[in-house]
Amino acid sequence: MLSFYRKFSIYIALVAMTGIALFLTGCTDNKQLKQDLLQAAAKQQEIVNYRFQGSVELKADAALFGQTSPMTATLFALLKDSQIDYKGVAALEPPRMEADLSVTPAGGTAIDIPVLIKDSKLYFHMPPLNKQDEYMTLPIAPPKDQASGSDASGALKNTGRLTAEITKQLLSGADPDWLQTTKEAVTLQDGSPGKQIALSVTPKNEQAVADYLNQSVLPSLSAQLKTNGLASDAWSSALGAIRLRAPSSIEMRIDSDGFIREQKWDLVFTSGGSANEHHLIWTHALSDINRNPAFAREVPAKQKSLEELLLFLKPAGAAQK
């Protein structure tokens, strides 16, 4: 009998210790978390119209993009130490987007830039360059391909598919142990409940994550962006040279319908052989998904082409040649 009670006591102790261990470490099914993220990424293809808002903050030096065109270098110089806030509405069929951007340089005054994409053209008003009610305009897609009959706006129509593919490329080979979730449901910006899943880069997994990204993700991602006309050779080269460092995280919040509604990318990274660290914080949120949110902006009457702007900016000596 004494032996029985001794064995029973040991059994109870083991059960209690196991319970405490589970309580302390959590009972997270990381493989299921990965599956949930992949399903949510695939579901983004169902989005055809929506409202969006977000912000971008980049702390980096000019060496990040190496040798680029003067215009790209000028744009990067403006944005690299700025806070960028944006909000707007978009539809994929027919492709159309309107947005309000606010760029606040470090220690400077905010620059408001209204933007419209319609009929495969980009219109934007840049206060230092444009008069009141005047917009810059430039095409964002090639003319209709007469041979194939494909429409010039096809790239915009494929936004949902491209977003899903990029997210799939990022996650498909990721180690489930890199994922974390909260024990309680999180609250989305509209007050509804959601589920948060985060991919975290820590000193423990930094090397494994960096190797995974550089060997399996960034090469295919770069090719995907170039194929869809979203990255030049210089940008693709810069992207391929990035190495993620700890502490970094990618947080995604999924709503009750399975859509990725909110994201926060907080990334620390180096580029090429440089040890200089850059820091990117990007937040992005969607609302009114597939509810036909209304557009308010029309094609501006006063327009200036990019060629006119470049001619205006050309030095006098060069213009006489």
Side-chain angles (χ1 to χ4, degrees):
M1 182 65 69
L2 182 62
S3 174
F4 170 78
Y5 280 113
R6 184 179 294 113
K7 292 180 180 179
F8 182 74
S9 298
I10 294 174
Y11 174 76
I12 292 298
L14 289 174
V15 171
M17 291 174 61
T18 303
I20 292 173
L22 289 174
F23 175 77
L24 293 176
T25 61
C27 303
T28 303
D29 185 344
N30 291 65
K31 292 183 178 180
Q32 185 59 51
L33 289 182
K34 180 177 177 178
Q35 188 62 32
D36 291 345
L37 271 182
L38 290 173
Q39 289 177 353
K43 194 171 178 63
Q44 301 304 96
Q45 298 186 66
E46 301 176 15
I47 299 177
V48 294
N49 51 66
Y50 53 95
R51 291 191 182 278
F52 61 90
Q53 67 178 41
S55 65
V56 179
E57 185 176 354
L58 175 65
K59 300 293 183 182
D61 58 55
L64 177 59
F65 289 100
Q67 297 296 321
T68 59
S69 67
M71 180 171 292
T72 300
T74 301
L75 180 61
F76 179 69
L78 172 65
L79 300 181
K80 72 181 184 70
D81 291 316
S82 300
Q83 171 76 34
I84 305 170
D85 298 286
Y86 60 87
K87 62 180 179 179
V89 59
L92 306 183
E93 187 64 51
R96 181 173 177 177
M97 184 195 77
E98 63 184 41
D100 292 296
L101 277 68
S102 179
V103 181
T104 307
T109 304
I111 302 172
D112 295 323
I113 307 173
V115 175
L116 172 66
I117 295 178
K118 186 178 181 182
D119 300 328
S120 296
K121 290 184 179 180
L122 168 65
Y123 306 89
F124 64 95
H125 175 79
M126 184 74 74
L129 303 177
N130 297 116
K131 300 176 183 179
Q132 187 176 4
D133 298 328
E134 179 186 69
Y135 280 65
M136 299 302 303
T137 177
L138 65 154
I140 56 174
K144 182 176 180 180
D145 185 342
Q146 299 296 332
S148 65
S150 61
D151 191 83
S153 58
L156 290 177
K157 294 179 181 179
N158 288 330
T159 299
R161 180 193 60 79
L162 181 60
T163 301
E165 280 296 318
I166 290 175
T167 308
K168 180 181 177 181
Q169 288 176 7
L170 174 65
L171 298 171
S172 60
D175 188 331
D177 288 339
W178 301 342
L179 302 178
Q180 299 176 347
T181 188
T182 56
K183 293 182 179 180
E184 301 82 17
V186 297
T187 302
L188 302 178
Q189 293 181 9
D190 63 2
S192 62
K195 179 178 182 178
Q196 177 175 296
I197 303 176
L199 189 156
S200 298
V201 182
T202 66
K204 184 177 180 180
N205 67 10
E206 179 184 86
Q207 184 66 47
V209 173
D211 290 344
Y212 165 65
L213 291 177
N214 288 88
Q215 296 171 12
S216 303
V217 177
L218 292 180
S220 58
L221 175 59
S222 178
Q224 187 87 350
L225 294 176
K226 287 181 65 176
T227 299
N228 286 271
L230 299 176
S232 64
D233 289 337
W235 283 78
S236 296
S237 177
L239 182 64
I242 284 176
R243 190 169 186 86
L244 209 57
R245 303 294 298 272
S248 295
S249 64
I250 300 174
E251 296 179 359
M252 297 188 184
R253 293 185 170 185
I254 304 170
D255 67 11
S256 57
D257 293 322
F259 292 111
I260 299 175
R261 285 275 298 279
E262 299 175 9
Q263 301 183 51
K264 181 178 180 181
W265 296 50
D266 191 340
L267 309 179
V268 177
F269 60 96
T270 57
S271 179
S274 174
N276 293 343
E277 290 190 345
H278 314 285
H279 191 190
L280 170 70
I281 300 177
W282 173 51
T283 64
H284 186 68
L286 304 181
S287 60
D288 290 344
I289 293 176
N290 296 341
R291 296 181 181 177
N292 297 309
F295 290 90
R297 191 165 292 156
E298 295 297 334
V299 173
K302 299 179 182 179
Q303 302 177 17
K304 177 180 287 187
S305 68
L306 183 61
E307 288 77 12
E308 291 178 273
L309 173 63
L310 294 177
L311 184 63
F312 175 76
L313 296 177
K314 186 179 295 185
Q320 293 175 357
K321 294 181 180 180

